[in-house]
Amino acid sequence: MWKEKPSSIAKKNPEMPIYYISVSKKNEKKLLESHSRCVNIEKFLKLDTAYKGLGVDRKAACLAIQDGIIVDAGSAITIDIMQSGIHLGGYILPGLSNYKRLFSSIDALRMDFNFDISLVSLPQNTRDAISFGCIRSIVLTIQNVAKDDCVYFTGGDGKFLSRFFDRSIYDNTLVFKGMLKVLQNNLKGLL
Amino acid sequence: MWKEKPSSIAKKNPEMPIYYISVSKKNEKKLLESHSRCVNIEKFLKLDTAYKGLGVDRKAACLAIQDGIIVDAGSAITIDIMQSGIHLGGYILPGLSNYKRLFSSIDALRMDFNFDISLVSLPQNTRDAISFGCIRSIVLTIQNVAKDDCVYFTGGDGKFLSRFFDRSIYDNTLVFKGMLKVLQNNLKGLL
């Protein structure tokens, strides 16, 4: 597994198909220009849910998990609840970097987070107060829906957040695992 | 009690002192220009606390309460814990309007909050998902420190938030009640 920037996608064997999903029209265009055999598998991602407008990346991550809470912590934090392969719903919080950016618009609160903050003792200064508020509010809402279920973290801040949970797994490949599952179940339709 | 805009402060009886606190140098200047007998009472606001850098408005609101949680919900939401007249600490969350502004920077999440959102059933669309996430994370962190204590709400969004709490009081004059208490205790020093 590896990462590539949309601005410099390496040439691949033109015979090999690239199965993909995308949440960015602009970057999808760049992928399609770089390779002749690209197959968008979005239509094969069938999630049992009543949720309207679930992003295709969230859908893929959910499909990787049968039971548990899926937290994708990027520029936004999405929290989705899966039970026996059914998506029960989900909700959205700002991402950690966006919380920080938000405070930076208020003079007295423009400072870096203290990521070593204790979530137990009450803060005694402004830097700890904003760090505690944001991190604790994120952690509490996740704990509140998770109860004793396992929490699967993915995304840039997933590793950091996972350490506040006893039953948690950090897996930055969750979206790809969901895609792989879909591919394996739809080989005939795709090949 | 009444409100005046800093840009159009009405003339008062010049003999009457105005006791004030301020968190804005700019607006303080405008007050001082409008009236000759202004007395800043900040130095009389003595709160028993280990917290460094507590804003004078938070200090005043805390001084109004002997026991309980003080939530000032404005452009930021400050949460302070008072016990037997002692300030145990506090923390800070973004204000509701700032949460909304934050999401507006992400294309797919640019929408108004649903303030009638249920905090019980899981959201099934994006608008409910961002509303639920923000409001629930705020409510849960306050409930988590409040436990069975009374929560005193003040500030623009205080009334809205107070309805999620069984033991809560909404009082938009908390800061002024704290100031009044300080004035009554320091009459000799001030007159």
Side-chain angles (χ1 to χ4, degrees):
Chain A
M1 218 170 259
W2 70 96
K3 285 185 184 191
E4 290 185 33
K5 288 193 175 155
S7 54
S8 58
I9 303 177
K11 282 279 165 219
K12 314 284 181 316
N13 176 353
E15 301 299 311
M16 289 278 279
I18 296 180
Y19 300 108
Y20 76 97
I21 56 173
S22 173
V23 292
S24 160
K25 279 271 167 234
K26 200 181 77 187
N27 292 336
E28 180 176 8
K29 195 164 166 263
K30 284 181 182 159
L31 175 71
L32 296 178
E33 284 166 359
S34 79
H35 195 81
S36 56
R37 286 193 67 191
C38 293
V39 185
N40 189 328
I41 63 166
E42 180 166 353
K43 66 175 175 184
F44 297 98
L45 271 70
K46 291 193 179 97
L47 182 68
D48 193 347
T49 182
Y51 195 107
K52 299 268 174 282
L54 197 68
V56 66
D57 51 341
R58 271 170 86 184
K59 224 182 247 184
C62 285
L63 284 167
I65 302 298
Q66 192 73 5
D67 281 282
I69 314 300
I70 296 103
V71 179
D72 190 343
S75 60
I77 301 176
T78 56
I79 296 127
D80 287 288
I81 295 93
M82 290 293 292
Q83 198 178 79
S84 308
I86 296 167
H87 178 254
L88 300 186
Y91 57 99
I92 306 173
L93 285 171
L96 274 179
S97 59
N98 273 325
Y99 272 100
K100 218 170 69 181
R101 198 162 57 86
L102 204 156
F103 283 123
S104 74
S105 68
I106 302 174
D107 274 357
L109 304 180
R110 191 176 302 133
M111 51 192 78
D112 270 340
F113 275 3
N114 172 9
F115 284 107
D116 295 321
I117 185 83
S118 152
L119 294 191
V120 180
S121 45
L122 286 169
Q124 303 296 340
N125 62 64
T126 307
R127 184 169 173 240
D128 286 355
I130 61 170
S131 314
F132 180 98
C134 296
I135 298 169
R136 200 164 192 247
S137 65
I138 295 168
V139 168
L140 279 176
T141 75
I142 302 173
Q143 284 176 343
N144 193 260
V145 291
K147 302 204 169 68
D148 293 325
D149 288 347
C150 184
V151 186
Y152 297 85
F153 285 92
T154 191
D157 292 318
K159 196 166 191 170
F160 168 71
L161 289 174
S162 70
R163 66 171 165 141
F164 296 102
F165 294 80
D166 291 333
R167 280 200 69 195
S168 72
I169 289 169
Y170 171 67
D171 182 351
N172 218 1
T173 68
L174 224 48
V175 170
F176 304 100
K177 283 190 177 144
M179 290 173 69
L180 210 58
K181 216 181 207 176
V182 167
L183 278 176
Q184 283 159 346
N185 293 338
N186 293 277
L187 274 181
K188 277 188 191 159
L190 283 161
L191 298 178
Chain B
M1 218 170 258
W2 70 96
K3 285 185 182 189
E4 289 185 35
K5 288 194 174 151
S7 53
S8 59
I9 302 177
K11 282 278 164 223
K12 314 282 184 314
N13 174 353
E15 300 300 310
M16 290 276 279
I18 296 180
Y19 299 108
Y20 76 96
I21 57 173
S22 173
V23 291
S24 161
K25 279 270 168 236
K26 200 181 76 187
N27 292 335
E28 180 176 8
K29 196 164 164 264
K30 284 181 182 161
L31 173 72
L32 295 178
E33 284 165 0
S34 78
H35 195 81
S36 56
R37 285 193 67 191
C38 294
V39 186
N40 189 328
I41 62 166
E42 180 166 354
K43 65 174 174 185
F44 296 98
L45 271 70
K46 291 193 180 98
L47 182 68
D48 194 346
T49 182
Y51 195 107
K52 298 268 174 282
L54 198 66
V56 66
D57 50 341
R58 273 171 84 184
K59 223 183 249 185
C62 286
L63 284 167
I65 302 299
Q66 193 72 4
D67 280 282
I69 314 300
I70 296 104
V71 179
D72 190 343
S75 61
I77 301 176
T78 56
I79 296 126
D80 287 289
I81 295 94
M82 290 293 291
Q83 199 178 79
S84 310
I86 295 166
H87 178 254
L88 299 186
Y91 58 100
I92 305 173
L93 285 171
L96 274 180
S97 60
N98 272 326
Y99 272 100
K100 218 169 69 181
R101 199 162 57 85
L102 203 155
F103 283 123
S104 75
S105 69
I106 302 175
D107 274 355
L109 305 179
R110 190 177 300 132
M111 51 192 78
D112 270 340
F113 275 4
N114 172 9
F115 284 107
D116 294 320
I117 185 82
S118 151
L119 293 192
V120 179
S121 46
L122 285 169
Q124 302 297 340
N125 61 64
T126 308
R127 184 170 172 240
D128 287 356
I130 61 170
S131 314
F132 179 99
C134 296
I135 298 170
R136 200 166 191 248
S137 65
I138 294 168
V139 168
L140 279 176
T141 74
I142 301 173
Q143 284 176 343
N144 192 261
V145 291
K147 301 200 171 70
D148 293 325
D149 287 348
C150 185
V151 187
Y152 297 84
F153 285 93
T154 191
D157 291 318
K159 196 165 191 171
F160 168 72
L161 290 173
S162 70
R163 66 171 166 143
F164 296 102
F165 294 79
D166 291 332
R167 280 199 71 194
S168 71
I169 289 169
Y170 171 67
D171 182 351
N172 219 0
T173 67
L174 223 49
V175 171
F176 304 101
K177 283 191 177 144
M179 290 173 69
L180 209 59
K181 214 181 207 177
V182 168
L183 278 175
Q184 283 159 348
N185 293 337
N186 293 279
L187 275 181
K188 277 188 193 159
L190 283 160
L191 299 178

